[in-house]
Coordinates of all heavy atoms in Angstrom, one line a residue:
M1123 N -15.7 30.2 19.2 CA -14.4 30.1 18.6 C -14.3 31.0 17.4 O -15.1 31.0 16.5 CB -14.1 28.7 18.1 CG -13.4 27.8 19.1 SD -12.9 26.3 18.3 CE -12.9 25.3 19.7
D1124 N -13.2 31.8 17.4 CA -13.1 32.7 16.2 C -12.1 32.0 15.2 O -11.5 31.0 15.4 CB -12.6 34.0 16.7 CG -11.2 34.0 17.3 OD1 -10.8 32.9 17.7 OD2 -10.6 35.1 17.4
Q1125 N -11.9 32.7 14.1 CA -11.1 32.2 13.0 C -9.7 31.9 13.4 O -9.1 31.0 12.9 CB -11.2 33.2 11.8 CG -10.6 32.7 10.6 CD -11.5 31.6 9.9 OE1 -12.6 31.4 10.2 NE2 -10.8 30.8 9.1
G1126 N -9.1 32.8 14.2 CA -7.7 32.6 14.6 C -7.5 31.3 15.4 O -6.4 30.6 15.2
I1127 N -8.3 31.0 16.3 CA -8.2 29.7 17.1 C -8.3 28.5 16.2 O -7.6 27.6 16.3 CB -9.2 29.7 18.3 CG1 -8.8 30.8 19.3 CG2 -9.2 28.4 18.9 CD1 -9.8 31.0 20.4
I1128 N -9.3 28.5 15.3 CA -9.5 27.4 14.4 C -8.3 27.2 13.5 O -7.9 26.1 13.3 CB -10.8 27.6 13.6 CG1 -12.0 27.6 14.5 CG2 -10.9 26.6 12.5 CD1 -13.3 27.9 13.9
G1129 N -7.8 28.3 13.0 CA -6.6 28.3 12.1 C -5.4 27.7 12.9 O -4.6 26.9 12.4
S1130 N -5.2 28.1 14.1 CA -4.1 27.6 15.0 C -4.3 26.1 15.2 O -3.3 25.4 15.2 CB -4.1 28.4 16.3 OG -3.8 29.7 16.1
I1131 N -5.4 25.7 15.6 CA -5.7 24.3 15.8 C -5.4 23.4 14.5 O -4.7 22.4 14.6 CB -7.1 24.0 16.3 CG1 -7.3 24.6 17.7 CG2 -7.5 22.5 16.3 CD1 -8.7 24.6 18.2
F1132 N -5.8 23.9 13.4 CA -5.6 23.3 12.1 C -4.1 23.2 11.9 O -3.6 22.1 11.4 CB -6.3 24.0 11.0 CG -6.1 23.3 9.7 CD1 -6.7 22.1 9.4 CD2 -5.3 23.9 8.7 CE1 -6.5 21.5 8.1 CE2 -5.1 23.3 7.5 CZ -5.7 22.1 7.2
T1133 N -3.4 24.3 12.1 CA -1.9 24.3 11.9 C -1.2 23.3 12.8 O -0.3 22.5 12.3 CB -1.4 25.7 12.1 OG1 -2.0 26.6 11.3 CG2 0.1 25.7 11.9
V1134 N -1.6 23.2 14.0 CA -1.0 22.2 14.9 C -1.3 20.8 14.4 O -0.4 19.9 14.5 CB -1.5 22.4 16.4 CG1 -1.1 21.3 17.3 CG2 -1.0 23.8 16.9
I1135 N -2.5 20.5 14.0 CA -2.9 19.2 13.5 C -2.1 18.8 12.3 O -1.6 17.7 12.2 CB -4.4 19.1 13.3 CG1 -5.2 19.1 14.6 CG2 -4.8 17.8 12.5 CD1 -6.7 19.3 14.4
V1136 N -1.9 19.7 11.4 CA -1.2 19.4 10.1 C 0.3 19.2 10.5 O 0.9 18.3 9.9 CB -1.4 20.6 9.1 CG1 -0.4 20.4 8.0 CG2 -2.8 20.6 8.6
F1137 N 0.8 20.0 11.4 CA 2.2 19.8 11.8 C 2.5 18.5 12.5 O 3.5 17.8 12.2 CB 2.6 21.0 12.8 CG 4.0 20.9 13.2 CD1 5.1 21.2 12.3 CD2 4.4 20.6 14.5 CE1 6.4 21.1 12.7 CE2 5.7 20.5 14.9 CZ 6.7 20.8 14.0
V1138 N 1.6 18.0 13.3 CA 1.7 16.7 14.0 C 1.6 15.6 12.9 O 2.4 14.7 13.0 CB 0.6 16.6 15.1 CG1 0.5 15.1 15.5 CG2 0.9 17.5 16.2
C1139 N 0.7 15.8 11.9 CA 0.7 14.8 10.9 C 2.0 14.7 10.0 O 2.5 13.7 9.7 CB -0.5 15.1 9.9 SG -2.1 14.7 10.7
F1140 N 2.5 15.9 9.8 CA 3.8 16.0 9.0 C 4.9 15.3 9.8 O 5.7 14.5 9.2 CB 4.1 17.5 8.8 CG 5.5 17.7 8.2 CD1 5.7 17.4 6.8 CD2 6.6 18.1 8.9 CE1 7.0 17.5 6.3 CE2 7.8 18.3 8.4 CZ 8.0 18.0 7.0
I1141 N 5.0 15.6 11.1 CA 6.0 14.9 11.9 C 5.9 13.4 11.9 O 6.8 12.7 11.9 CB 6.0 15.5 13.3 CG1 6.4 17.0 13.3 CG2 7.0 14.7 14.3 CD1 7.8 17.3 12.8
G1142 N 4.6 13.0 12.0 CA 4.3 11.5 12.0 C 4.8 10.9 10.7 O 5.4 9.8 10.7
I1143 N 4.5 11.5 9.5 CA 4.9 11.0 8.2 C 6.4 11.0 8.1 O 7.0 10.0 7.6 CB 4.3 11.8 7.1 CG1 2.8 11.6 7.1 CG2 4.9 11.5 5.8 CD1 2.0 12.5 6.2
V1144 N 7.1 12.0 8.6 CA 8.6 12.1 8.5 C 9.1 10.9 9.4 O 10.1 10.2 9.0 CB 9.1 13.4 8.9 CG1 10.6 13.4 9.2 CG2 8.7 14.5 7.9
W1145 N 8.6 10.8 10.6 CA 9.1 9.7 11.5 C 8.9 8.3 10.8 O 9.8 7.5 10.9 CB 8.3 9.8 12.8 CG 8.7 8.7 13.8 CD1 9.8 8.6 14.5 CD2 7.9 7.5 14.0 NE1 9.8 7.4 15.2 CE2 8.6 6.7 14.9 CE3 6.6 7.1 13.6 CZ2 8.1 5.5 15.4 CZ3 6.2 5.9 14.1 CH2 6.9 5.1 15.0
W1146 N 7.7 8.1 10.2 CA 7.4 6.8 9.6 C 8.4 6.6 8.4 O 8.9 5.5 8.2 CB 6.0 6.8 9.1 CG 5.7 5.7 8.2 CD1 5.4 4.4 8.6 CD2 5.5 5.7 6.8 NE1 5.2 3.6 7.5 CE2 5.2 4.4 6.4 CE3 5.6 6.7 5.8 CZ2 5.0 4.1 5.0 CZ3 5.4 6.4 4.5 CH2 5.1 5.1 4.1
A1147 N 8.7 7.6 7.6 CA 9.5 7.5 6.4 C 11.0 7.2 6.8 O 11.6 6.5 6.1 CB 9.4 8.8 5.6
F1148 N 11.4 7.8 7.9 CA 12.8 7.6 8.3 C 13.0 6.5 9.3 O 14.1 6.4 9.9 CB 13.5 8.9 8.7 CG 13.7 9.8 7.5 CD1 12.8 10.9 7.3 CD2 14.7 9.6 6.7 CE1 13.0 11.8 6.3 CE2 14.9 10.5 5.6 CZ 14.0 11.5 5.4
S1149 N 12.0 5.8 9.6 CA 12.1 4.7 10.6 C 13.0 3.6 10.1 O 12.8 3.2 9.0 CB 10.7 4.2 10.9 OG 10.7 3.0 11.7
S1150 N 13.8 3.1 11.0 CA 14.7 2.0 10.5 C 14.0 0.7 10.3 O 14.4 -0.2 9.6 CB 15.8 1.8 11.6 OG 15.2 1.4 12.8
R1151 N 12.8 0.6 10.8 CA 12.0 -0.6 10.6 C 11.5 -0.7 9.2 O 11.3 -1.8 8.7 CB 10.8 -0.5 11.6 CG 10.0 -1.8 11.6 CD 8.9 -1.7 12.6 NE 8.0 -0.5 12.3 CZ 7.0 -0.1 13.1 NH1 6.8 -0.7 14.2 NH2 6.3 0.9 12.7
N1152 N 11.3 0.4 8.5 CA 10.9 0.4 7.1 C 12.0 0.5 6.1 O 11.7 0.4 4.9 CB 10.0 1.6 6.9 CG 8.7 1.5 7.7 OD1 8.1 0.4 7.8 ND2 8.2 2.6 8.2
K1153 N 13.2 0.5 6.5 CA 14.4 0.7 5.6 C 14.5 -0.4 4.6 O 14.6 -0.1 3.4 CB 15.7 0.9 6.4 CG 16.9 1.1 5.4 CD 18.1 1.5 6.2 CE 19.3 1.6 5.4 NZ 19.2 2.1 4.1
K1154 N 14.3 -1.6 5.0 CA 14.5 -2.7 4.0 C 13.4 -2.7 3.0 O 13.7 -2.9 1.8 CB 14.4 -4.1 4.8 CG 14.6 -5.3 3.9 CD 14.5 -6.5 4.7 CE 14.6 -7.7 3.8 NZ 14.3 -9.0 4.4
R1155 N 12.2 -2.4 3.4 CA 11.1 -2.3 2.4 C 11.2 -1.2 1.4 O 11.0 -1.4 0.2 CB 9.7 -2.2 3.2 CG 8.5 -2.4 2.3 CD 7.3 -2.4 3.1 NE 7.0 -1.0 3.6 CZ 6.1 -0.7 4.4 NH1 5.3 -1.7 4.9 NH2 5.9 0.5 4.8
F1156 N 11.7 0.0 1.9 CA 11.9 1.1 1.0 C 13.1 0.9 0.1 O 13.0 1.3 -1.1 CB 12.2 2.4 1.8 CG 10.9 2.9 2.5 CD1 11.0 3.6 3.7 CD2 9.7 2.7 2.0 CE1 9.9 4.1 4.4 CE2 8.5 3.2 2.6 CZ 8.7 3.9 3.8
D1157 N 14.1 0.2 0.6 CA 15.3 -0.2 -0.3 C 14.8 -1.1 -1.4 O 15.2 -0.9 -2.6 CB 16.4 -0.8 0.5 CG 17.2 0.2 1.3 OD1 17.0 1.4 1.0 OD2 17.9 -0.2 2.2
E1158 N 14.0 -2.1 -1.1 CA 13.5 -3.0 -2.2 C 12.6 -2.2 -3.2 O 12.7 -2.4 -4.4 CB 12.7 -4.1 -1.5 CG 13.5 -5.1 -0.7 CD 12.7 -6.1 0.0 OE1 11.4 -6.0 -0.1 OE2 13.3 -6.9 0.7
A1159 N 11.8 -1.3 -2.7 CA 10.9 -0.5 -3.6 C 11.7 0.4 -4.4 O 11.4 0.6 -5.6 CB 9.9 0.3 -2.7
A1160 N 12.8 0.9 -3.9 CA 13.7 1.8 -4.7 C 14.4 1.1 -5.9 O 14.7 1.6 -6.9 CB 14.8 2.4 -3.8
N1161 N 14.6 -0.2 -5.7 CA 15.2 -1.0 -6.8 C 14.3 -1.7 -7.8 O 14.7 -2.4 -8.7 CB 16.1 -2.1 -6.1 CG 17.3 -1.5 -5.5 OD1 17.9 -0.6 -6.0 ND2 17.7 -2.1 -4.3
L1162 N 13.0 -1.5 -7.6 CA 12.0 -2.1 -8.5 C 12.2 -1.7 -9.9 O 12.0 -2.5 -10.8 CB 10.6 -1.8 -8.0 CG 10.1 -2.6 -6.9 CD1 8.7 -2.2 -6.4 CD2 10.0 -4.1 -7.3
P1163 N 12.5 -0.4 -10.3 CA 12.6 -0.1 -11.7 C 13.8 -0.8 -12.3 O 13.8 -1.1 -13.5 CB 12.9 1.4 -11.7 CG 12.3 1.9 -10.4 CD 12.5 0.8 -9.4
F1164 N 14.8 -1.1 -11.6 CA 16.0 -1.8 -12.1 C 15.7 -3.3 -12.4 O 16.3 -4.0 -13.2 CB 17.2 -1.6 -11.3 CG 17.5 -0.2 -11.1 CD1 17.4 0.4 -9.8 CD2 17.9 0.6 -12.1 CE1 17.7 1.7 -9.6 CE2 18.2 2.0 -12.0 CZ 18.1 2.5 -10.7
A1165 N 14.8 -3.9 -11.6 CA 14.4 -5.3 -11.8 C 13.8 -5.5 -13.2 O 14.1 -6.6 -13.8 CB 13.5 -5.7 -10.7
D1166 N 13.1 -4.6 -13.7 CA 12.5 -4.7 -15.0 C 13.6 -4.7 -16.1 O 13.5 -5.4 -17.1 CB 11.6 -3.5 -15.2 CG 10.4 -3.8 -16.2 OD1 10.1 -5.0 -16.3 OD2 9.8 -2.9 -16.7
E1167 N 14.6 -3.9 -15.9 CA 15.7 -3.9 -16.9 C 16.5 -5.2 -17.0 O 16.9 -5.7 -18.1 CB 16.7 -2.8 -16.6 CG 16.1 -1.4 -16.7 CD 17.1 -0.3 -16.3 OE1 18.2 -0.6 -15.8 OE2 16.7 0.9 -16.4
E1168 N 16.6 -5.9 -15.9 CA 17.3 -7.2 -15.9 C 16.5 -8.2 -16.6 O 17.1 -9.1 -17.4 CB 17.5 -7.7 -14.4 CG 18.5 -6.8 -13.7 CD 18.6 -7.2 -12.2 OE1 17.8 -8.1 -11.8 OE2 19.3 -6.6 -11.5
K1169 N 15.2 -8.2 -16.6 CA 14.4 -9.1 -17.3 C 14.5 -8.9 -18.8 O 14.5 -9.8 -19.6 CB 12.9 -9.0 -16.9 CG 12.7 -9.5 -15.5 CD 11.2 -9.3 -15.1 CE 11.0 -9.8 -13.6 NZ 9.6 -9.5 -13.2
E1170 N 14.5 -7.6 -19.2 CA 14.6 -7.3 -20.6 C 15.9 -7.7 -21.2 O 16.0 -8.2 -22.3 CB 14.4 -5.8 -20.8 CG 13.0 -5.3 -20.6 CD 12.8 -3.8 -20.7 OE1 13.8 -3.1 -21.1 OE2 11.7 -3.3 -20.4
E1171 N 17.0 -7.5 -20.4 CA 18.3 -8.0 -20.9 C 18.4 -9.5 -21.1 O 19.0 -10.0 -22.0 CB 19.4 -7.5 -19.9 CG 19.6 -6.0 -20.0 CD 20.6 -5.5 -18.9 OE1 21.2 -6.4 -18.2 OE2 20.8 -4.3 -18.8
S1172 N 17.8 -10.2 -20.2 CA 17.8 -11.7 -20.3 C 17.0 -12.1 -21.6 O 17.3 -13.2 -22.1 CB 17.3 -12.3 -19.1 OG 16.0 -12.0 -18.8
R1173 N 16.0 -11.4 -22.0 CA 15.2 -11.8 -23.1 C 16.0 -11.6 -24.4 O 15.8 -12.3 -25.4 CB 13.9 -10.9 -23.2 CG 12.9 -11.3 -22.1 CD 11.7 -10.5 -22.3 NE 10.8 -10.6 -21.1 CZ 9.8 -9.8 -20.8 NH1 9.5 -8.8 -21.6 NH2 9.1 -10.0 -19.8
K1174 N 16.8 -10.5 -24.4 CA 17.6 -10.2 -25.6 C 18.6 -11.2 -25.9 O 19.0 -11.4 -27.0 CB 18.2 -8.8 -25.5 CG 17.2 -7.7 -25.5 CD 17.8 -6.4 -25.4 CE 16.8 -5.3 -25.3 NZ 17.4 -3.9 -25.1
D1175 N 19.1 -11.9 -24.9 CA 20.2 -12.9 -25.1 C 19.8 -14.1 -25.7 O 18.9 -14.6 -25.9 CB 20.9 -13.1 -23.7 CG 21.7 -11.9 -23.2 OD1 22.0 -11.0 -24.1 OD2 21.9 -11.8 -22.0

């Protein structure tokens, strides 16, 4: 095997991993969990506001 074939195989493997990650990130099955994680920084602010009152 020469360097060109090894580079091509590596490129294909990395591309397949990239497609898998994109598919996982945009899967509707994970949407609820990602929405909850996106709101975590704001949950901390609500606790601080209730302490000040």
Side-chain angles (χ1 to χ4, degrees):
M1123 263 191 210
D1124 64 342
Q1125 189 70 19
I1127 294 174
I1128 293 172
S1130 298
I1131 292 171
F1132 180 74
T1133 302
V1134 170
I1135 290 171
V1136 170
F1137 181 70
V1138 168
C1139 289
F1140 173 76
I1141 295 299
I1143 291 170
V1144 169
W1145 176 76
W1146 171 75
F1148 289 103
S1149 171
S1150 61
R1151 188 175 60 186
N1152 294 323
K1153 182 170 177 34
K1154 182 181 176 186
R1155 190 173 71 188
F1156 288 150
D1157 286 342
E1158 290 174 0
N1161 288 324
L1162 280 176
F1164 302 115
D1166 209 21
E1167 291 176 0
E1168 292 172 1
K1169 290 178 184 177
E1170 290 177 8
E1171 290 177 3
S1172 65
R1173 289 180 192 167
K1174 291 179 182 178
D1175 292 338

